[in-house]
Amino acid sequence: MLSGLGAIMMTAMIFYTVMYISAYEARYHDRGITAPNWMFQQKHFSWEDFITIRDNGHYNDVLKFVDGKMSLQKHLVGIHTFLTFVSDLEDMNVRT
């Protein structure tokens, strides 16, 4: 019984992970960034509230804003261009 329940739970976790990674999409523009949280709800943050970005040492980059945090997967298409953009934005916010 326990091994059957464990197998079901493991299958559910793998299914969720595959769905989350395959459906994950972050969008940014000149006013802010939008990305899903772990419950697939879209979260939006304004660049005016942006503080910093840090590597969490695993699979995400964490963006810190005045009113919260956002985790972005490191292996997204276009992430290098995005990191350059955010680094420039971080420098601008520090200067102002």
Side-chain angles (χ1 to χ4, degrees):
M1 173 90 172
L2 186 58
S3 66
L5 181 60
I8 291 171
M9 289 176 58
M10 183 62 79
T11 302
M13 286 182 357
I14 290 171
F15 178 74
Y16 170 81
T17 302
V18 168
M19 290 301 298
Y20 182 73
I21 291 172
S22 65
Y24 191 91
E25 179 181 50
R27 293 185 177 266
Y28 69 98
H29 47 74
D30 61 338
R31 293 179 306 278
I33 183 168
T34 304
N37 64 9
W38 62 276
M39 290 293 294
F40 297 98
Q41 298 167 329
Q42 295 294 320
K43 297 294 244 177
H44 177 80
F45 289 98
S46 173
W47 290 129
E48 294 173 356
D49 299 330
F50 178 70
I51 298 171
T52 187
I53 184 170
R54 296 290 175 250
D55 182 344
N56 75 347
H58 299 290
Y59 301 105
N60 294 321
D61 289 318
V62 179
L63 285 79
K64 185 175 178 184
F65 295 88
V66 171
D67 54 347
K69 294 180 181 179
M70 175 183 282
S71 294
L72 290 180
Q73 296 176 13
K74 286 183 185 177
H75 305 291
L76 295 172
V77 173
I79 194 70
H80 297 293
T81 305
F82 173 76
L83 291 175
T84 302
F85 170 77
V86 171
S87 175
D88 293 343
L89 186 64
E90 187 175 28
D91 292 341
M92 274 189 346
N93 284 352
V94 167
R95 280 186 250 134
T96 58

Coordinates of all heavy atoms in Angstrom, one line a residue:
M1 N 0.8 -1.2 0.0 CA 0.0 0.0 0.0 C 0.9 1.3 0.0 O 0.6 2.2 -0.8 CB -0.9 0.0 1.2 CG -1.7 1.2 1.4 SD -3.2 1.1 0.6 CE -4.0 2.6 1.2
L2 N 1.9 1.3 0.9 CA 2.7 2.5 1.0 C 3.5 2.7 -0.3 O 3.7 3.8 -0.8 CB 3.7 2.4 2.2 CG 4.5 3.6 2.5 CD1 3.6 4.8 2.7 CD2 5.4 3.4 3.7
S3 N 4.0 1.6 -0.9 CA 4.8 1.8 -2.1 C 3.9 2.2 -3.3 O 4.3 3.0 -4.1 CB 5.5 0.5 -2.5 OG 4.6 -0.5 -2.8
G4 N 2.6 1.8 -3.3 CA 1.7 2.3 -4.3 C 1.4 3.8 -4.2 O 1.4 4.5 -5.1
L5 N 1.2 4.2 -2.9 CA 1.0 5.6 -2.7 C 2.2 6.4 -3.0 O 2.1 7.5 -3.6 CB 0.6 5.8 -1.2 CG 0.2 7.2 -0.8 CD1 -0.9 7.8 -1.6 CD2 0.0 7.3 0.7
G6 N 3.4 5.9 -2.7 CA 4.6 6.6 -3.0 C 4.8 6.8 -4.5 O 5.2 7.8 -5.0
A7 N 4.5 5.7 -5.2 CA 4.6 5.8 -6.7 C 3.6 6.8 -7.3 O 4.0 7.5 -8.2 CB 4.3 4.4 -7.3
I8 N 2.4 6.9 -6.7 CA 1.4 7.9 -7.2 C 1.9 9.3 -6.9 O 1.8 10.2 -7.8 CB 0.0 7.6 -6.6 CG1 -0.6 6.3 -7.1 CG2 -0.9 8.8 -6.8 CD1 -1.8 5.8 -6.4
M9 N 2.4 9.5 -5.7 CA 2.9 10.8 -5.3 C 4.1 11.2 -6.2 O 4.2 12.4 -6.6 CB 3.3 10.8 -3.9 CG 2.1 10.8 -2.9 SD 2.5 10.7 -1.2 CE 3.4 12.2 -1.0
M10 N 5.0 10.3 -6.4 CA 6.2 10.6 -7.3 C 5.8 10.9 -8.7 O 6.3 11.8 -9.3 CB 7.2 9.4 -7.3 CG 8.4 9.7 -8.1 SD 9.4 11.0 -7.4 CE 10.2 10.2 -6.1
T11 N 4.8 10.2 -9.2 CA 4.3 10.4 -10.6 C 3.7 11.8 -10.7 O 3.9 12.5 -11.6 CB 3.3 9.3 -11.0 OG1 3.9 8.1 -10.9 CG2 2.7 9.6 -12.4
A12 N 2.9 12.1 -9.6 CA 2.2 13.5 -9.6 C 3.3 14.6 -9.5 O 3.1 15.6 -10.2 CB 1.3 13.6 -8.4
M13 N 4.3 14.4 -8.7 CA 5.4 15.4 -8.6 C 6.1 15.6 -10.0 O 6.4 16.7 -10.4 CB 6.4 15.1 -7.5 CG 5.8 15.3 -6.2 SD 6.8 15.0 -4.7 CE 8.3 14.4 -5.3
I14 N 6.4 14.5 -10.6 CA 7.1 14.5 -11.9 C 6.2 15.2 -13.0 O 6.7 16.0 -13.7 CB 7.6 13.1 -12.4 CG1 8.7 12.6 -11.4 CG2 8.0 13.1 -13.8 CD1 9.1 11.2 -11.6
F15 N 4.9 14.8 -13.0 CA 4.0 15.4 -13.9 C 3.9 16.9 -13.7 O 4.0 17.7 -14.7 CB 2.6 14.8 -13.8 CG 1.6 15.4 -14.7 CD1 1.6 15.1 -16.0 CD2 0.6 16.2 -14.2 CE1 0.6 15.6 -16.9 CE2 -0.3 16.8 -15.0 CZ -0.3 16.5 -16.4
Y16 N 3.8 17.4 -12.4 CA 3.7 18.8 -12.1 C 5.0 19.5 -12.6 O 4.9 20.6 -13.2 CB 3.5 19.0 -10.6 CG 3.7 20.5 -10.2 CD1 2.6 21.4 -10.4 CD2 4.9 20.9 -9.7 CE1 2.8 22.7 -10.1 CE2 5.0 22.3 -9.4 CZ 4.0 23.2 -9.6 OH 4.2 24.5 -9.2
T17 N 6.1 18.9 -12.3 CA 7.4 19.6 -12.7 C 7.5 19.7 -14.2 O 7.9 20.8 -14.7 CB 8.6 18.8 -12.1 OG1 8.4 18.7 -10.7 CG2 9.9 19.4 -12.5
V18 N 7.2 18.7 -14.9 CA 7.2 18.7 -16.4 C 6.2 19.8 -16.9 O 6.6 20.6 -17.8 CB 6.9 17.4 -17.0 CG1 6.7 17.4 -18.5 CG2 8.0 16.4 -16.7
M19 N 5.0 19.8 -16.4 CA 4.1 20.8 -16.8 C 4.5 22.3 -16.5 O 4.4 23.2 -17.3 CB 2.7 20.6 -16.2 CG 2.0 19.3 -16.7 SD 1.7 19.4 -18.4 CE 0.6 20.8 -18.6
Y20 N 5.1 22.5 -15.3 CA 5.5 23.8 -14.9 C 6.7 24.3 -15.8 O 6.6 25.4 -16.3 CB 5.9 23.8 -13.4 CG 6.4 25.1 -12.9 CD1 5.4 26.1 -12.6 CD2 7.7 25.4 -12.7 CE1 5.8 27.3 -12.1 CE2 8.1 26.6 -12.2 CZ 7.1 27.6 -11.9 OH 7.5 28.8 -11.4
I21 N 7.6 23.4 -16.0 CA 8.8 23.8 -16.8 C 8.4 24.1 -18.3 O 8.8 25.0 -18.9 CB 9.9 22.8 -16.7 CG1 10.5 22.9 -15.3 CG2 11.0 23.0 -17.8 CD1 11.5 21.8 -15.0
S22 N 7.5 23.2 -18.8 CA 7.2 23.3 -20.2 C 6.2 24.5 -20.5 O 6.2 25.1 -21.5 CB 6.6 22.0 -20.8 OG 5.4 21.8 -20.1
A23 N 5.4 24.9 -19.5 CA 4.4 25.9 -19.7 C 5.0 27.3 -19.2 O 4.3 28.3 -19.4 CB 3.1 25.6 -18.9
Y24 N 6.2 27.3 -18.6 CA 6.7 28.5 -18.0 C 7.1 29.5 -19.1 O 7.8 29.2 -20.1 CB 7.9 28.2 -17.2 CG 8.4 29.3 -16.3 CD1 8.0 29.4 -15.0 CD2 9.3 30.2 -16.8 CE1 8.4 30.5 -14.2 CE2 9.8 31.2 -16.0 CZ 9.3 31.4 -14.7 OH 9.7 32.4 -13.9
E25 N 6.7 30.7 -18.9 CA 7.0 31.8 -19.9 C 7.1 33.1 -19.1 O 6.1 33.5 -18.4 CB 6.0 31.9 -21.0 CG 6.2 33.0 -22.0 CD 5.2 33.0 -23.1 OE1 4.0 33.1 -22.7 OE2 5.6 33.1 -24.2
A26 N 8.2 33.8 -19.2 CA 8.3 35.1 -18.6 C 8.4 36.2 -19.7 O 9.0 35.9 -20.8 CB 9.6 35.2 -17.8
R27 N 7.7 37.3 -19.5 CA 7.6 38.3 -20.5 C 8.0 39.6 -19.8 O 7.6 39.9 -18.7 CB 6.2 38.5 -21.1 CG 5.8 37.3 -21.9 CD 4.5 37.6 -22.6 NE 4.1 36.5 -23.4 CZ 4.3 36.5 -24.7 NH1 4.9 37.5 -25.3 NH2 4.0 35.4 -25.4
Y28 N 8.9 40.4 -20.5 CA 9.2 41.7 -20.0 C 9.2 42.8 -21.1 O 9.3 42.5 -22.3 CB 10.6 41.7 -19.3 CG 11.8 41.5 -20.2 CD1 12.5 42.6 -20.7 CD2 12.2 40.2 -20.7 CE1 13.6 42.4 -21.5 CE2 13.2 40.0 -21.5 CZ 14.0 41.1 -21.9 OH 15.0 41.0 -22.8
H29 N 9.0 44.0 -20.7 CA 9.0 45.1 -21.6 C 9.5 46.3 -20.8 O 10.0 46.2 -19.7 CB 7.6 45.4 -22.1 CG 6.5 45.3 -21.1 ND1 6.2 46.3 -20.2 CD2 5.6 44.3 -20.8 CE1 5.2 46.0 -19.4 NE2 4.8 44.8 -19.8
D30 N 9.3 47.5 -21.3 CA 9.9 48.7 -20.7 C 9.2 49.1 -19.4 O 9.8 49.8 -18.6 CB 9.8 49.9 -21.7 CG 8.4 50.3 -22.1 OD1 7.5 49.4 -22.0 OD2 8.2 51.4 -22.5
R31 N 8.0 48.6 -19.1 CA 7.3 48.9 -17.8 C 7.5 47.9 -16.7 O 7.3 48.2 -15.6 CB 5.9 49.2 -18.1 CG 5.7 50.4 -19.0 CD 4.2 50.7 -19.3 NE 3.5 49.6 -19.9 CZ 3.5 49.3 -21.2 NH1 4.2 50.0 -22.0 NH2 2.9 48.3 -21.7
G32 N 7.7 46.6 -17.1 CA 7.8 45.6 -16.0 C 8.0 44.2 -16.6 O 8.3 44.0 -17.7
I33 N 7.8 43.3 -15.7 CA 8.0 41.9 -16.0 C 6.8 41.1 -15.5 O 6.3 41.4 -14.4 CB 9.3 41.3 -15.4 CG1 9.5 39.9 -15.9 CG2 9.4 41.5 -13.9 CD1 10.9 39.3 -15.6
T34 N 6.4 40.0 -16.2 CA 5.3 39.2 -15.9 C 5.8 37.7 -16.0 O 6.4 37.3 -17.0 CB 4.1 39.4 -16.8 OG1 3.7 40.7 -16.7 CG2 2.9 38.5 -16.3
A35 N 5.6 36.9 -14.9 CA 6.0 35.5 -15.0 C 5.0 34.7 -14.0 O 4.5 35.3 -13.1 CB 7.4 35.3 -14.6
P36 N 4.9 33.4 -14.2 CA 4.0 32.7 -13.4 C 4.7 32.3 -12.1 O 5.9 32.1 -12.0 CB 3.7 31.4 -14.2 CG 4.8 31.3 -15.1 CD 5.3 32.7 -15.4
N37 N 3.8 32.2 -11.0 CA 4.4 31.6 -9.8 C 4.2 30.1 -9.8 O 3.8 29.5 -10.8 CB 3.7 32.3 -8.5 CG 2.2 32.0 -8.4 OD1 1.7 31.2 -9.1 ND2 1.6 32.7 -7.5
W38 N 4.4 29.5 -8.6 CA 4.3 28.0 -8.6 C 2.9 27.5 -8.8 O 2.7 26.3 -9.0 CB 5.0 27.4 -7.4 CG 4.4 27.9 -6.1 CD1 4.6 29.1 -5.4 CD2 3.4 27.2 -5.3 NE1 3.8 29.1 -4.3 CE2 3.1 28.0 -4.2 CE3 2.8 26.0 -5.5 CZ2 2.1 27.6 -3.3 CZ3 1.8 25.6 -4.5 CH2 1.5 26.4 -3.4
M39 N 1.9 28.3 -8.7 CA 0.5 27.9 -8.9 C 0.0 28.4 -10.2 O -1.2 28.4 -10.5 CB -0.4 28.5 -7.8 CG -0.1 27.9 -6.4 SD -0.6 26.2 -6.3 CE -2.4 26.3 -6.5
F40 N 0.9 28.7 -11.2 CA 0.6 29.1 -12.5 C -0.2 30.4 -12.6 O -0.8 30.7 -13.6 CB -0.2 28.0 -13.3 CG 0.6 26.7 -13.5 CD1 0.3 25.7 -12.6 CD2 1.5 26.6 -14.5 CE1 1.0 24.5 -12.8 CE2 2.2 25.4 -14.7 CZ 2.0 24.4 -13.8
Q41 N -0.1 31.2 -11.5 CA -0.8 32.5 -11.5 C 0.3 33.6 -12.0 O 1.4 33.6 -11.6 CB -1.2 32.9 -10.1 CG -2.3 32.0 -9.6 CD -2.5 32.2 -8.1 OE1 -1.6 32.6 -7.4 NE2 -3.7 32.0 -7.6
Q42 N -0.2 34.4 -12.9 CA 0.7 35.4 -13.5 C 1.0 36.5 -12.5 O 0.0 37.1 -11.9 CB 0.1 36.0 -14.7 CG 0.0 35.1 -15.9 CD 1.4 34.6 -16.4 OE1 2.3 35.3 -16.5 NE2 1.4 33.3 -16.7
K43 N 2.2 36.8 -12.2 CA 2.6 37.9 -11.3 C 3.3 39.0 -12.1 O 4.2 38.7 -13.0 CB 3.6 37.4 -10.2 CG 3.0 36.4 -9.3 CD 1.9 37.0 -8.5 CE 2.3 36.9 -7.0 NZ 1.3 37.5 -6.2
H44 N 3.0 40.2 -11.9 CA 3.6 41.3 -12.6 C 4.3 42.3 -11.6 O 3.7 42.6 -10.5 CB 2.5 42.1 -13.4 CG 3.1 43.3 -14.1 ND1 3.8 43.2 -15.3 CD2 3.1 44.6 -13.7 CE1 4.2 44.4 -15.6 NE2 3.8 45.3 -14.7
F45 N 5.5 42.7 -11.9 CA 6.2 43.7 -11.1 C 6.7 44.8 -12.0 O 7.1 44.5 -13.2 CB 7.4 43.0 -10.4 CG 7.0 42.1 -9.3 CD1 7.0 40.8 -9.5 CD2 6.8 42.6 -8.0 CE1 6.6 39.9 -8.5 CE2 6.4 41.8 -7.0 CZ 6.4 40.4 -7.2
S46 N 6.7 46.0 -11.5 CA 7.1 47.2 -12.3 C 8.6 47.4 -12.1 O 9.2 47.1 -11.0 CB 6.4 48.4 -11.8 OG 6.9 49.6 -12.3
W47 N 9.3 47.8 -13.2 CA 10.7 48.1 -13.1 C 11.0 49.2 -12.1 O 12.1 49.3 -11.6 CB 11.3 48.4 -14.5 CG 11.3 47.2 -15.4 CD1 10.9 47.2 -16.6 CD2 11.9 45.9 -15.1 NE1 11.1 46.0 -17.2 CE2 11.7 45.2 -16.3 CE3 12.5 45.3 -14.0 CZ2 12.1 43.8 -16.4 CZ3 12.9 44.0 -14.1 CH2 12.7 43.3 -15.3
E48 N 10.1 50.1 -11.9 CA 10.3 51.2 -10.9 C 10.6 50.7 -9.5 O 11.2 51.3 -8.7 CB 9.1 52.1 -10.9 CG 8.9 52.9 -12.2 CD 7.6 53.6 -12.2 OE1 6.8 53.5 -11.3 OE2 7.3 54.3 -13.2
D49 N 10.0 49.5 -9.2 CA 10.2 48.9 -7.9 C 11.3 47.9 -7.8 O 11.5 47.3 -6.8 CB 8.9 48.2 -7.5 CG 7.7 49.1 -7.4 OD1 7.9 50.3 -7.1 OD2 6.6 48.7 -7.7
F50 N 12.1 47.7 -8.9 CA 13.2 46.8 -9.0 C 14.3 47.2 -8.1 O 14.7 48.3 -8.1 CB 13.6 46.6 -10.4 CG 14.8 45.6 -10.6 CD1 14.6 44.3 -10.4 CD2 16.0 46.1 -10.9 CE1 15.6 43.4 -10.6 CE2 17.1 45.2 -11.1 CZ 16.9 43.9 -10.9
I51 N 14.9 46.2 -7.3 CA 16.0 46.5 -6.5 C 17.2 45.7 -7.0 O 18.3 46.3 -7.3 CB 15.7 46.0 -5.0 CG1 14.5 46.9 -4.5 CG2 16.9 46.2 -4.1 CD1 14.0 46.4 -3.1
T52 N 17.2 44.4 -7.1 CA 18.4 43.6 -7.5 C 18.0 42.3 -8.0 O 16.8 41.8 -7.9 CB 19.3 43.5 -6.3 OG1 20.5 42.9 -6.7 CG2 18.7 42.6 -5.2
I53 N 18.9 41.6 -8.7 CA 18.8 40.2 -9.1 C 19.9 39.4 -8.6 O 21.1 39.9 -8.6 CB 18.7 40.1 -10.7 CG1 18.4 38.7 -11.1 CG2 20.0 40.7 -11.3 CD1 18.1 38.5 -12.6
R54 N 19.7 38.2 -8.1 CA 20.7 37.3 -7.6 C 20.4 35.9 -8.0 O 19.3 35.4 -8.2 CB 20.7 37.3 -6.0 CG 21.0 38.7 -5.4 CD 22.5 39.0 -5.6 NE 22.8 40.3 -5.2 CZ 23.1 41.4 -5.9 NH1 23.1 41.3 -7.2 NH2 23.3 42.5 -5.4
D55 N 21.5 35.2 -8.2 CA 21.5 33.7 -8.5 C 21.3 33.0 -7.2 O 22.0 33.2 -6.2 CB 22.9 33.3 -9.1 CG 22.9 31.9 -9.5 OD1 22.1 31.1 -9.1 OD2 23.9 31.6 -10.2
N56 N 20.3 32.1 -7.1 CA 20.0 31.4 -5.9 C 20.9 30.2 -5.7 O 20.8 29.4 -4.7 CB 18.5 31.0 -5.8 CG 18.1 29.9 -6.6 OD1 18.9 29.4 -7.5 ND2 16.9 29.3 -6.4
G57 N 21.8 29.9 -6.6 CA 22.7 28.8 -6.5 C 22.1 27.5 -7.1 O 22.8 26.5 -7.0
H58 N 20.9 27.5 -7.5 CA 20.3 26.3 -8.0 C 19.8 26.5 -9.5 O 20.6 26.8 -10.3 CB 19.2 25.8 -7.1 CG 19.6 25.5 -5.7 ND1 20.4 24.4 -5.5 CD2 19.5 26.1 -4.6 CE1 20.7 24.3 -4.2 NE2 20.1 25.4 -3.6
Y59 N 18.5 26.5 -9.7 CA 17.9 26.6 -11.0 C 17.2 27.9 -11.3 O 16.6 28.1 -12.3 CB 16.9 25.5 -11.3 CG 17.6 24.1 -11.1 CD1 17.4 23.3 -10.0 CD2 18.5 23.7 -12.1 CE1 18.0 22.1 -9.9 CE2 19.1 22.5 -12.0 CZ 18.9 21.7 -10.9 OH 19.5 20.5 -10.8
N60 N 17.3 28.9 -10.4 CA 16.5 30.1 -10.5 C 17.4 31.4 -10.3 O 18.4 31.3 -9.5 CB 15.4 30.2 -9.5 CG 14.3 29.2 -9.8 OD1 14.0 28.9 -10.9 ND2 13.8 28.6 -8.7
D61 N 17.0 32.4 -10.9 CA 17.5 33.8 -10.6 C 16.4 34.5 -9.8 O 15.2 34.3 -10.2 CB 17.8 34.6 -11.8 CG 19.1 34.0 -12.5 OD1 20.1 33.7 -11.8 OD2 19.1 34.0 -13.8
V62 N 16.7 35.1 -8.7 CA 15.6 35.8 -7.9 C 15.7 37.3 -8.1 O 16.8 37.9 -7.9 CB 15.8 35.4 -6.4 CG1 14.8 36.1 -5.6 CG2 15.7 33.9 -6.3
L63 N 14.6 37.9 -8.6 CA 14.5 39.3 -8.7 C 13.8 39.9 -7.5 O 12.8 39.4 -7.1 CB 13.7 39.7 -10.0 CG 14.4 39.5 -11.3 CD1 14.4 38.1 -11.7 CD2 13.8 40.4 -12.3
K64 N 14.4 40.8 -6.9 CA 13.9 41.4 -5.7 C 13.3 42.8 -6.0 O 14.0 43.6 -6.7 CB 14.9 41.6 -4.6 CG 14.4 42.1 -3.3 CD 15.5 42.1 -2.2 CE 14.9 42.6 -0.9 NZ 16.0 42.7 0.1
F65 N 12.0 43.0 -5.6 CA 11.3 44.3 -5.8 C 10.9 44.8 -4.5 O 11.0 44.1 -3.5 CB 10.1 44.0 -6.7 CG 10.4 43.5 -8.1 CD1 10.5 42.2 -8.4 CD2 10.5 44.5 -9.1 CE1 10.8 41.8 -9.6 CE2 10.8 44.0 -10.4 CZ 11.0 42.7 -10.7
V66 N 10.5 46.1 -4.5 CA 10.1 46.7 -3.2 C 9.0 45.9 -2.6 O 9.0 45.8 -1.3 CB 9.6 48.2 -3.5 CG1 9.0 48.8 -2.3 CG2 10.8 49.0 -4.0
D67 N 8.0 45.4 -3.3 CA 6.9 44.8 -2.8 C 6.9 43.2 -3.0 O 5.8 42.6 -2.9 CB 5.6 45.4 -3.4 CG 5.6 45.4 -4.9 OD1 6.6 45.1 -5.5 OD2 4.5 45.6 -5.4
G68 N 8.0 42.6 -3.2 CA 8.1 41.2 -3.3 C 9.2 40.6 -4.1 O 10.1 41.4 -4.4
K69 N 9.2 39.3 -4.3 CA 10.3 38.7 -5.1 C 9.7 37.9 -6.2 O 8.5 37.5 -6.2 CB 11.0 37.7 -4.2 CG 11.8 38.4 -3.1 CD 12.6 37.3 -2.3 CE 13.3 38.0 -1.2 NZ 14.0 37.0 -0.4
M70 N 10.5 37.6 -7.2 CA 10.1 36.8 -8.4 C 11.2 35.9 -8.7 O 12.4 36.3 -8.8 CB 9.7 37.7 -9.6 CG 9.4 36.9 -10.8 SD 9.1 38.0 -12.3 CE 7.4 38.5 -11.9
S71 N 11.0 34.6 -8.9 CA 12.0 33.7 -9.3 C 11.8 33.4 -10.8 O 10.7 33.1 -11.3 CB 11.8 32.3 -8.5 OG 12.1 32.5 -7.2
L72 N 12.9 33.4 -11.5 CA 12.9 33.1 -12.9 C 13.8 31.9 -13.2 O 14.9 31.8 -12.6 CB 13.5 34.3 -13.8 CG 12.6 35.5 -13.9 CD1 13.3 36.5 -14.7 CD2 11.3 35.2 -14.5
Q73 N 13.4 31.0 -14.0 CA 14.2 29.9 -14.4 C 15.5 30.3 -15.1 O 15.4 31.2 -16.0 CB 13.5 28.9 -15.2 CG 12.3 28.3 -14.5 CD 11.5 27.3 -15.4 OE1 11.9 27.0 -16.5 NE2 10.3 27.0 -14.9
K74 N 16.6 29.8 -14.9 CA 17.9 30.2 -15.5 C 18.0 29.8 -17.0 O 18.7 30.4 -17.7 CB 19.1 29.6 -14.8 CG 19.3 30.2 -13.4 CD 20.6 29.5 -12.9 CE 20.8 30.0 -11.5 NZ 22.0 29.4 -10.9
H75 N 17.3 28.8 -17.4 CA 17.5 28.2 -18.7 C 16.4 28.6 -19.7 O 16.0 27.8 -20.5 CB 17.6 26.7 -18.6 CG 18.7 26.2 -17.6 ND1 20.0 26.4 -17.8 CD2 18.6 25.7 -16.4 CE1 20.7 26.0 -16.8 NE2 19.9 25.6 -15.9
L76 N 15.9 29.8 -19.6 CA 14.9 30.3 -20.5 C 15.6 30.8 -21.8 O 16.8 31.2 -21.8 CB 14.1 31.5 -19.9 CG 13.3 31.1 -18.7 CD1 12.7 32.4 -18.1 CD2 12.2 30.2 -19.1
V77 N 14.9 30.7 -22.9 CA 15.4 31.3 -24.2 C 15.5 32.8 -24.0 O 14.6 33.4 -23.5 CB 14.4 30.9 -25.3 CG1 14.8 31.6 -26.6 CG2 14.3 29.4 -25.5
G78 N 16.6 33.3 -24.4 CA 16.9 34.8 -24.3 C 17.3 35.3 -22.9 O 17.3 36.5 -22.7
I79 N 17.6 34.4 -22.0 CA 18.0 34.8 -20.6 C 19.2 35.6 -20.6 O 19.3 36.6 -19.8 CB 18.1 33.6 -19.7 CG1 18.1 34.0 -18.2 CG2 19.3 32.7 -20.0 CD1 16.8 34.5 -17.7
H80 N 20.2 35.4 -21.5 CA 21.4 36.2 -21.5 C 21.1 37.7 -21.8 O 21.7 38.6 -21.2 CB 22.5 35.6 -22.4 CG 22.9 34.3 -22.0 ND1 23.6 34.0 -20.8 CD2 22.7 33.1 -22.6 CE1 23.8 32.7 -20.7 NE2 23.3 32.1 -21.7
T81 N 20.2 37.9 -22.8 CA 19.8 39.3 -23.2 C 19.1 39.9 -22.0 O 19.3 41.1 -21.7 CB 18.9 39.2 -24.4 OG1 19.6 38.6 -25.5 CG2 18.6 40.6 -24.8
F82 N 18.2 39.1 -21.4 CA 17.5 39.6 -20.2 C 18.4 40.0 -19.1 O 18.2 41.1 -18.5 CB 16.4 38.6 -19.8 CG 15.7 39.0 -18.5 CD1 14.8 39.9 -18.5 CD2 16.1 38.4 -17.3 CE1 14.1 40.3 -17.3 CE2 15.5 38.7 -16.1 CZ 14.5 39.7 -16.1
L83 N 19.4 39.2 -18.8 CA 20.3 39.5 -17.7 C 21.1 40.7 -18.0 O 21.4 41.5 -17.0 CB 21.2 38.3 -17.4 CG 20.6 37.0 -16.8 CD1 21.5 35.9 -16.7 CD2 19.9 37.3 -15.5
T84 N 21.5 41.0 -19.2 CA 22.1 42.2 -19.6 C 21.2 43.4 -19.3 O 21.6 44.4 -18.7 CB 22.6 42.2 -21.0 OG1 23.5 41.1 -21.2 CG2 23.3 43.4 -21.4
F85 N 20.0 43.3 -19.8 CA 19.0 44.3 -19.6 C 18.8 44.6 -18.1 O 18.8 45.8 -17.7 CB 17.7 43.9 -20.2 CG 16.5 44.8 -19.9 CD1 16.4 46.1 -20.5 CD2 15.6 44.4 -19.0 CE1 15.3 46.9 -20.2 CE2 14.5 45.2 -18.6 CZ 14.3 46.5 -19.2
V86 N 18.6 43.6 -17.3 CA 18.4 43.8 -15.8 C 19.6 44.3 -15.1 O 19.5 45.2 -14.2 CB 17.9 42.4 -15.2 CG1 17.9 42.5 -13.7 CG2 16.6 42.0 -15.7
S87 N 20.8 43.9 -15.6 CA 22.0 44.5 -15.0 C 22.1 46.0 -15.2 O 22.5 46.7 -14.3 CB 23.2 43.7 -15.5 OG 24.4 44.3 -15.1
D88 N 21.8 46.4 -16.4 CA 21.8 47.8 -16.8 C 20.8 48.6 -15.9 O 21.0 49.6 -15.4 CB 21.6 48.0 -18.3 CG 22.8 47.5 -19.1 OD1 23.8 47.3 -18.5 OD2 22.6 47.4 -20.3
L89 N 19.6 47.9 -15.8 CA 18.5 48.5 -15.0 C 18.9 48.7 -13.6 O 18.6 49.7 -12.9 CB 17.2 47.7 -15.2 CG 16.0 48.2 -14.6 CD1 15.6 49.5 -15.3 CD2 14.9 47.2 -14.7
E90 N 19.5 47.6 -13.0 CA 20.0 47.7 -11.6 C 21.0 48.8 -11.4 O 20.9 49.5 -10.4 CB 20.6 46.3 -11.3 CG 21.0 46.1 -9.9 CD 21.5 44.7 -9.6 OE1 22.1 44.1 -10.5 OE2 21.4 44.3 -8.5
D91 N 21.9 49.0 -12.4 CA 22.9 50.1 -12.3 C 22.2 51.4 -12.3 O 22.5 52.3 -11.6 CB 23.9 50.0 -13.4 CG 24.8 48.8 -13.2 OD1 24.9 48.2 -12.1 OD2 25.5 48.4 -14.2
M92 N 21.2 51.6 -13.2 CA 20.4 52.8 -13.3 C 19.7 53.1 -12.0 O 19.7 54.2 -11.5 CB 19.4 52.8 -14.4 CG 20.0 53.1 -15.7 SD 18.8 53.3 -17.1 CE 17.3 52.6 -16.6
N93 N 19.1 52.1 -11.4 CA 18.3 52.3 -10.2 C 19.2 52.6 -9.0 O 18.8 53.4 -8.1 CB 17.5 51.0 -9.8 CG 16.3 50.9 -10.7 OD1 15.9 51.8 -11.5 ND2 15.6 49.8 -10.6
V94 N 20.4 52.1 -9.0 CA 21.4 52.4 -7.9 C 21.8 53.9 -8.0 O 21.9 54.6 -7.0 CB 22.6 51.5 -8.0 CG1 23.7 52.0 -7.1 CG2 22.2 50.1 -7.6
R95 N 22.0 54.4 -9.2 CA 22.4 55.7 -9.5 C 21.4 56.8 -9.2 O 21.7 57.9 -8.9 CB 22.9 55.9 -10.9 CG 24.3 55.4 -11.1 CD 24.8 55.7 -12.5 NE 24.9 54.4 -13.2 CZ 24.4 54.2 -14.4 NH1 23.9 55.2 -15.1 NH2 24.5 53.0 -15.0
T96 N 20.1 56.4 -9.3 CA 19.0 57.4 -9.1 C 18.5 57.4 -7.7 O 18.8 56.6 -6.9 CB 17.9 57.2 -10.0 OG1 17.4 55.8 -9.9 CG2 18.3 57.4 -11.5

